[in-house]
Amino acid sequence: MRTAPTILHLDMDAFFASAEQAAKPSLRGKAVVVGGLGPRGVVSTASYEARAFGVHSAMPMAQARRLAPNAAYLVPRFTLYREVSEQVMGLLGALSPLVEPLSLDEAFVDLEAGEAAWDEASARLVGAKLRADIRAVTGLTGSVGLAASKMLAKIASEQAKPDGLVVIEPGTERALLGPMSVRTLPGVGPATGDHLRRAGITTVDEIAEAGEDELVRLVGKAHGHALYAMALAHDERPVVAERETKSVSVEDTYDVDIHDRMRVGLEVQRLADRCVRRLRDAGLSGRTIVLKVRRYDFSTLTRSETLRGPTDDPGVVREAAARLLEAVDTTGGVRLLGVGVSGLADYTQEDLFAQAQAQAQAEAEAEAAAGKAAVLEHPDEDGAEEVAAEQTSPAERRWPAGHDVRHAEYGHGWVQGSGLGRVTVRFETPYSEPGRVRTFRTDDVALELAEPLPLMRGTVCDRRGG
């Protein structure tokens, strides 16, 4: 183990919710909950004001609404979060070549590898400056932990929350860990924690006292050895620089199971388009198209097709996803759909695009002709008119709560809520005073979805993250 606290762990404070509060002046200092808003939705992040009511991450959204009925409930805006994350990761990259992102809002940094710190004093100065730089660049706060290992640095950042800095000096680790709950250690979740509790082990000290052999008997060989080492504050895991992206994917979980096969097909096409947008934003293409379907009984099916060459063409991906869907039985309903692309490359094959587009267009024309013939042959068949109308009518615009909009007369705002053909918008920006609320028809041509504004005035947003 190192002899200086030169492993840094950064954890942005209530990241999604804090970003929303920074973007929306009317929500600052108020309870904000970000996540899926449907009956099956879960909480992604809760602001500290919402946590005071008992709301926390991974909680069912319905339970959160019961605990904090007056909080603001918003759909995540990953375009904004990725932009802010890129700014933060840029600050970390300036400290060291060894940055290990764990998520959009969390990362390890090896300060020694970047010669940014070599002892307790220099590490503390780096941590303090990093927190100040994050606030200056993003307007948000982050908690920093510094220690001689990744495990201890993460524990330190948890102790630092919110908006703090904690340094664990080498030689003090055992005394610090001893009285802590076994759940403090990485890999000890509710099930393992409960298993240890039934054996009379509730603290890290008691794990060390139990001994390695007893832990192996209780939780198995691999986990037992790891637990014992962590209880002794031994953690030799290195900081690993960001690995190459292996795949790009999107998925949606539906509030109500989808039974209509045509609706399932339309959703797959929409997901394919979203996936391609992410692919292109990252400057990538891929050879393997993947379809994920979770059915009404929670069984999950995955189907894939590998093309002759890499592509980032929406027509190619849509067509492949549609072929994969044909092989999946959706009888009984679908609760989740996903489309992904793997086998990534940084180039495409234009001839493949042209061929696939021509094939898709030919098949679409043939399908349309067949559908028209079927309607003419059976004009009185139940639902024929409704099906035809659904095929030809434009998709209804969606107005997710919290997302950005722009009105031709009133300017930039965000969606407070929608329903019954109406959408309510609060017109404000990250740099304004709390704004006024107005209500419009959902089909108002003067209102359109917009890109998020940067949280800090003068910051240039990089739209590649969208």
Side-chain angles (χ1 to χ4, degrees):
M1 183 178 290
R2 300 178 184 219
T3 58
T6 54
I7 299 294
L8 181 148
H9 181 262
L10 169 70
D11 198 350
M12 298 295 289
D13 299 322
F15 181 47
F16 294 177
S18 294
E20 296 298 347
Q21 289 176 318
K24 300 172 172 63
S26 59
L27 298 184
R28 292 170 190 169
K30 298 181 180 178
V32 174
V33 181
V34 180
L37 302 189
R40 292 175 180 160
V42 297
V43 175
S44 294
T45 311
S47 69
Y48 286 97
E49 295 85 355
R51 294 180 193 189
F53 294 95
V55 180
H56 58 77
S57 299
M59 171 182 285
M61 191 61 76
Q63 182 181 355
R65 288 185 183 276
R66 289 194 295 269
L67 292 172
N70 296 320
Y73 289 87
L74 308 175
V75 175
R77 293 189 298 159
F78 288 105
T79 298
L80 173 65
Y81 309 150
R82 278 192 291 269
E83 287 170 353
V84 177
S85 177
E86 287 176 4
Q87 293 174 319
V88 173
M89 295 302 166
L91 294 173
L92 299 182
L95 297 176
S96 172
L98 291 184
V99 177
E100 182 179 344
L102 304 180
S103 62
L104 290 176
D105 61 341
E106 186 180 1
F108 287 110
V109 184
D110 187 332
L111 299 179
E112 189 176 286
E115 299 182 351
W118 49 91
D119 59 12
E120 188 270 338
S122 59
R124 189 181 292 274
L125 286 174
V126 168
K129 184 177 185 303
L130 174 64
R131 291 178 54 239
D133 288 346
I134 289 173
R135 185 186 289 273
V137 171
T138 70
L140 306 181
T141 64
S143 296
V144 171
L146 290 153
S149 70
K150 290 168 70 172
M151 177 188 76
L152 293 166
K154 184 171 175 60
I155 290 172
S157 69
E158 286 295 323
Q159 291 183 321
K161 281 185 170 292
D163 191 20
L165 183 151
V166 168
V167 180
I168 299 177
E169 298 182 23
T172 68
E173 298 96 345
R174 289 289 303 278
L176 175 75
L177 283 175
M180 291 184 173
S181 165
V182 297
R183 292 288 306 277
T184 303
L185 300 179
V188 181
T192 302
D194 189 55
H195 192 58
L196 293 171
R197 181 188 58 78
R198 290 197 299 270
I201 300 173
T202 59
T203 68
V204 175
D205 259 345
E206 288 168 344
I207 288 180
E209 292 168 2
E212 194 167 12
D213 291 342
E214 176 65 8
L215 291 170
V216 168
R217 187 187 69 81
L218 287 172
V219 298
K221 186 175 181 180
H223 206 20
H225 288 317
L227 271 181
Y228 185 67
M230 288 188 291
L232 299 180
H234 295 163
D235 179 18
E236 301 296 334
R237 294 173 301 158
V239 175
V240 180
E242 185 174 9
R243 296 179 176 86
E244 183 181 356
T245 302
K246 299 298 182 183
S247 64
V248 174
S249 63
V250 297
E251 62 181 44
D252 276 345
T253 301
Y254 302 99
D255 299 339
V256 178
D257 291 347
I258 303 176
H259 293 83
D260 187 293
R261 181 76 178 187
M262 180 179 294
R263 166 91 188 280
V264 172
L266 292 172
E267 289 294 319
V268 167
Q269 300 296 290
R270 184 177 60 82
L271 289 166
D273 287 341
R274 280 174 52 196
C275 183
V276 168
R277 284 198 297 272
R278 286 193 180 181
L279 199 66
R280 287 182 166 181
D281 288 342
L284 298 171
S285 60
R287 294 186 61 190
T288 301
I289 315 303
V290 181
L291 175 71
K292 178 180 177 181
V293 179
R294 181 167 297 150
R295 298 187 291 190
Y296 70 98
D297 59 357
F298 286 91
S299 62
T300 302
L301 303 176
T302 303
R303 300 287 184 268
S304 64
E305 175 182 320
T306 299
L307 307 173
R308 290 174 298 171
T311 182
D312 68 349
D313 184 86
V316 175
V317 177
R318 282 197 302 266
E319 182 66 24
R323 286 195 298 270
L324 294 170
L325 180 62
E326 291 175 1
V328 177
D329 180 10
T330 59
T331 304
V334 169
R335 61 188 298 119
L336 178 147
L337 289 168
V339 174
V341 177
S342 61
L344 301 182
D346 57 1
Y347 66 94
T348 58
Q349 291 186 345
E350 296 297 334
D351 58 336
L352 179 65
F353 298 169
Q355 180 181 352
Q357 285 177 325
Q359 180 182 353
Q361 182 176 354
E363 292 182 2
E365 291 173 353
E367 183 178 345
K372 182 177 180 180
V375 172
L376 291 174
E377 184 177 352
H378 305 285
D380 298 324
E381 188 168 293
D382 291 341
E385 291 183 1
E386 288 76 9
V387 170
E390 184 175 349
Q391 287 178 316
T392 57
S393 62
E396 182 179 354
R397 290 196 293 174
R398 299 172 63 189
W399 303 99
H403 279 226
D404 299 82
V405 295
R406 177 168 293 280
H407 191 274
E409 179 180 353
Y410 301 111
H412 193 94
W414 58 277
V415 177
Q416 282 203 177
S418 63
L420 301 177
R422 297 287 186 272
V423 55
T424 300
V425 177
R426 184 180 289 273
F427 289 96
E428 60 186 8
T429 73
Y431 339 111
S432 72
E433 296 297 319
R436 292 191 60 182
V437 175
R438 299 181 184 275
T439 299
F440 308 90
R441 290 175 55 90
T442 55
D443 59 359
D444 191 325
V445 296
L447 189 67
E448 61 182 3
L449 289 172
E451 292 283 356
L453 296 175
L455 298 183
M456 301 292 286
R457 189 187 296 274
T459 301
V460 178
C461 275
D462 184 347
R463 293 300 175 198
R464 291 175 300 172

